[in-house]
Amino acid sequence: MERYDTAIIGAGAAGLFAAVIAARNGAKVVLIERNESPGKKLKITGKGRCNITNESSVEEVLDNIPNGKHFMQSAVRAFTPTDCIEFFEVLGVPLKTERGKRVFPESDRASDVVFALQQNALKYGVSILHSRATEIITENACIKGINTTTGQIECNSVILATGGLSYPATGSTGDGYKFAADLGHTITPLRGSLVPLEADVSICSKMQGLTLKNVKLSIYTNENKRVYEDFGELLFTHFGLSGPLVLSASAHMRDYVNDKYHALIDLKPALDDKKLDMRLLRDFEKYQNRDFGNALCDLFSKLCIPVIIEKSKIPPNTKVHSITREQRLNLCSLIKAFRIDIYGPRPVNEAIITSGGVSLLEINPKTMESKLVSGLYFAGEIIDVDAYTGGFNLQIAWSTAFSAATASSQRVKA
């Protein structure tokens, strides 16, 4: 039976990176991956482009981590976005920075990131075992080894980097949570983040397939506390809302039990109330002899118009020239604040990331080592930390993996 210094379960972003760092530090490393090839989920991140990190200061990164900000301070300072950018460029992955300081490979290929990590791991002697871990073996609360579907492995330390519950087809099926729980760890409630939202289907289903670009989305609790606002693109679906704006908004919506939320969409953010009213007056003059139901064609798409008419409460067969000033101003208000009630997030397996995981109270924030089991470390999405969109969640993966790999490899020298 071969013995290793460090065994890493899961060859996603955190696992691959941890393998490289630990092996560079002189540890004998085995990387256990159940898929036929590493980095399956990493290859599809950012629509296959891989938003590696965000070119921000440490403070800016921490401000984009709503859950676990204080816990992450040591790890992000130990491996910063600047360190991340330098690491991948030295590895031979040229990078570029786009809107919002988002950093991508110049090639726009996530597969280049996976290939570079895998090749570097092999260069430093990492063994990649295509098997499935079934049990972590301990003795007197110390790591001793791992049982797998292809046999037993002896090791001094284990890094759990199994990911969350999102995208189960990529191998993120929650095995890591079970391993951690079996060893006495608390798993905080798991739910999707950066996830589509279920919303009022009486509105959304009628506009299914419609993409709105350059709109403003605001999310409020039903106590009228605003939790999110931004401009961009959203999509209506048969179940509710999706698209970049909505995924970002979902990360700010953390209390679906006690708070019900609603969205207000400014359909014409480039026009203030006065300019929008003037625009409606021009269109109404142009189509003064038409029915109201046929007078909004210059402002909105065909899928949108019937819903706007219905919510305006102006009968569609009303002649445009007979619409009152009050009706017109109410229509303006509707266009500037198109309300949709939100029921909750879609299932976690449709989310980009998982919120929740191994309790931060049971992990050393400087080393990512378990406070319950000596030699057990955590990295990436399995930890109860998550961030907003923009490369911050991958930065969490790199930073936690760096801390875990550095600490576990130092056990070899101790």
Side-chain angles (χ1 to χ4, degrees):
M1 183 188 305
E2 195 155 10
R3 184 172 186 85
Y4 294 90
D5 299 316
T6 301
I8 301 169
I9 305 177
L16 276 169
F17 185 67
V20 171
I21 299 302
R24 280 187 179 185
N25 289 344
K28 185 178 180 181
V29 179
V30 61
L31 183 58
I32 304 168
E33 173 54 48
R34 59 187 288 187
N35 290 322
E36 67 281 359
S37 61
K40 197 169 181 180
K41 182 179 177 183
L42 186 56
K43 287 178 183 176
I44 64 173
T45 60
K47 297 182 179 178
R49 296 178 64 219
C50 191
N51 184 185
I52 288 176
T53 187
N54 192 284
E55 197 172 8
S56 296
S57 67
V58 169
E59 289 71 25
E60 287 173 319
V61 172
L62 294 172
D63 284 344
N64 279 277
I65 302 175
N67 184 41
K69 172 180 179 177
H70 297 296
F71 174 86
M72 285 299 302
Q73 286 196 43
S74 295
V76 176
R77 293 186 193 283
F79 191 79
T80 67
T82 300
D83 296 327
C84 179
I85 290 167
E86 181 182 357
F87 174 87
F88 281 104
E89 291 194 326
V90 169
L91 237 60
V93 183
L95 304 176
K96 60 182 177 180
T97 302
E98 297 185 359
R99 181 182 61 84
K101 300 182 182 180
R102 289 168 164 84
V103 179
F104 293 90
E106 281 187 2
S107 65
D108 286 329
R109 290 194 301 265
S111 57
D112 289 353
V113 177
V114 176
F115 180 78
L117 286 170
Q118 184 176 353
Q119 291 303 110
N120 212 244
L122 295 173
K123 174 184 173 181
Y124 285 94
V126 174
S127 298
I128 299 179
L129 176 64
H130 294 289
S131 184
R132 183 171 184 172
T134 57
E135 181 188 17
I136 296 175
I137 305 166
T138 61
E139 186 178 298
N140 298 322
C142 292
I143 290 293
K144 291 299 177 184
I146 300 173
N147 282 328
T148 77
T149 50
T150 53
Q152 191 176 101
I153 291 170
E154 288 188 0
C155 56
N156 296 324
S157 62
V158 170
I159 299 176
L160 262 180
T162 48
L165 289 174
S166 58
Y167 292 112
T170 65
S172 298
T173 54
D175 286 4
Y177 301 126
K178 184 179 185 303
F179 293 143
D182 287 347
L183 294 173
H185 290 88
T186 303
I187 308 301
T188 62
L190 305 171
R191 65 173 182 83
S193 186
L194 307 183
V195 63
L197 298 171
E198 295 187 354
D200 188 344
V201 292
S202 69
I203 296 173
C204 296
S205 63
K206 293 173 183 174
M207 294 190 284
Q208 179 180 344
L210 174 64
T211 296
L212 295 180
K213 298 182 178 181
N214 303 317
V215 295
K216 182 172 78 171
L217 174 67
S218 304
I219 302 292
Y220 289 85
T221 68
N222 283 353
E223 288 73 39
N224 281 321
K225 177 185 176 183
R226 190 176 69 193
V227 297
Y228 175 82
E229 185 171 278
D230 205 355
F231 295 84
E233 179 180 317
L234 61 80
L235 169 70
F236 291 96
T237 72
H238 67 283
F239 58 75
L241 298 168
S242 188
L245 267 182
V246 173
L247 298 183
S248 295
S250 71
H252 297 254
M253 303 165 67
R254 298 190 166 267
D255 192 355
Y256 291 101
V257 177
N258 297 318
D259 277 332
K260 292 185 177 179
Y261 297 95
H262 63 271
L264 293 181
I265 305 171
D266 185 343
L267 299 170
K268 297 295 176 182
L271 303 175
D272 61 23
D273 291 355
K274 184 177 179 181
K275 289 180 179 177
L276 178 59
D277 188 37
M278 291 172 62
R279 171 63 193 271
L280 281 174
L281 281 168
R282 288 199 303 272
D283 284 6
F284 283 3
E285 184 178 357
K286 180 179 177 181
Y287 299 121
Q288 59 181 307
N289 294 318
R290 285 191 181 185
D291 290 346
F292 174 56
N294 298 318
L296 298 178
C297 53
D298 293 348
L299 265 178
F300 300 107
S301 72
K302 290 181 180 178
L303 280 175
C304 201
I305 290 171
V307 180
I308 290 176
I309 290 171
E310 180 181 342
K311 286 178 72 71
S312 75
K313 295 185 168 55
I314 302 173
N317 59 353
T318 304
K319 292 299 180 183
V320 170
H321 60 74
S322 66
I323 291 176
T324 67
R325 180 177 183 274
E326 183 182 2
Q327 287 176 317
R328 191 183 73 248
L329 292 179
N330 287 339
L331 177 60
C332 281
S333 297
L334 169 64
I335 293 169
K336 297 295 288 182
F338 188 86
R339 177 174 172 140
I340 298 177
D341 291 328
I342 295 169
Y343 303 147
R346 290 291 286 172
V348 65
N349 61 2
E350 295 182 26
I352 293 176
I353 61 167
T354 305
S355 179
V358 179
S359 171
L360 303 184
L361 299 175
E362 298 165 0
I363 304 173
N364 183 324
K366 292 185 177 180
T367 63
M368 298 299 142
E369 185 175 15
S370 165
K371 294 179 179 180
L372 308 182
V373 178
S374 178
L376 176 64
Y377 299 82
F378 301 97
E381 201 174 344
I382 189 172
I383 303 170
D384 182 18
V385 176
D386 60 276
Y388 302 139
T389 56
F392 300 107
N393 285 291
L394 269 181
Q395 182 62 47
I396 288 172
W398 312 133
S399 293
T400 55
F402 181 84
S403 294
T406 302
S408 67
S409 59
Q410 287 174 350
R411 295 173 67 90
V412 179
K413 303 171 186 177

